[in-house]
C-alpha cells in the first residue's frame, strides 16, 4: 500500500499529521529537493507540496510529471493561495483529455 506525505514549511503542514499523513518540514531549496528524492524512492503514491515549496524546486517537479508515481500535488500554504496548484491540475487534465475542463475548449 502506498503512503502519503506532505512537504512544506511546518506551519502549513503540521495539521496533516492528524489525518495520518507523514509531514516533512523543509525550509530551503536543498531540504525540499532531498525530501522529494527520498519520498520518491520510498513507497509514496502521493506527495502534497505547498505552493511556496514547489516554487523553490520548480525544475525538479517537472521530472515527476513524466512519472506515474508518486503524484506530486501542490496545495496552498498558510501564506495563501497563489493559484499554482490549480494551474498544475488544469494543465495535467488538459494533457490527459485534450481539453480545458473549466472552459471546455479543445487543445
Amino acid at each position: 500500500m502506498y503512503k502519503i506525505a506532505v512537504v512544506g514549511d511546518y506551519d502549513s503542514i503540521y495539521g496533516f499529521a492528524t489525518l495520518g499523513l507523514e509531514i516533512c518540514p523543509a525550509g530551503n531549496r536543498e531540504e525540499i529537493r532531498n525530501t522529494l528524492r527520498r519520498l520518491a524512492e520510498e513507497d509514496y503514491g502521493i506527495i502534497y507540496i505547498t505552493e511556496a515549496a514547489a516554487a523553490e524546486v520548480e525544475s525538479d517537479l517537472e521530472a515527476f510529471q513524466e512519472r506515474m508515481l508518486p503524484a506530486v500535488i501542490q496545495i496552498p500554504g498558510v501564506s495563501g493561495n497563489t493559484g499554482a496548484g490549480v494551474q498544475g491540475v488544469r494543465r495535467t487534465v488538459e494533457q490527459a483529455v485534450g481539453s480545458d475542463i473549466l472552459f471546455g475548449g479543445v487543445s
Side-chain angles (χ1 to χ4, degrees):
M1 178 176 268
Y2 293 106
K3 300 178 276 187
I4 302 172
V6 186
V7 178
D9 63 281
Y10 182 79
D11 290 340
S12 295
I13 66 171
Y14 74 91
F16 289 96
T18 61
L19 300 173
L21 306 182
E22 179 176 338
I23 60 167
C24 303
N28 63 50
R29 179 174 288 133
E30 202 57 37
E31 288 177 349
I32 297 166
R33 277 188 181 132
N34 291 337
T35 300
L36 285 174
R37 283 188 199 121
R38 177 181 62 82
L39 295 172
E41 291 172 1
E42 296 177 12
D43 287 334
Y44 285 87
I46 299 173
I47 301 171
Y48 292 106
I49 184 169
T50 62
E51 291 173 339
E56 289 289 322
V57 293
E58 197 170 329
S59 61
D60 296 272
L61 293 180
E62 291 175 9
F64 288 101
Q65 292 176 351
E66 303 299 320
R67 297 172 59 167
M68 187 69 116
L69 290 175
V72 179
I73 303 167
Q74 294 184 41
I75 58 172
V78 294
S79 59
N81 185 353
T82 65
V86 172
Q87 288 295 71
V89 170
R90 175 188 269 175
R91 198 171 33 253
T92 302
V93 171
E94 188 172 349
Q95 236 178 357
V97 299
S99 78
D100 187 328
I101 59 172
L102 295 179
F103 297 107
V106 177
S107 297

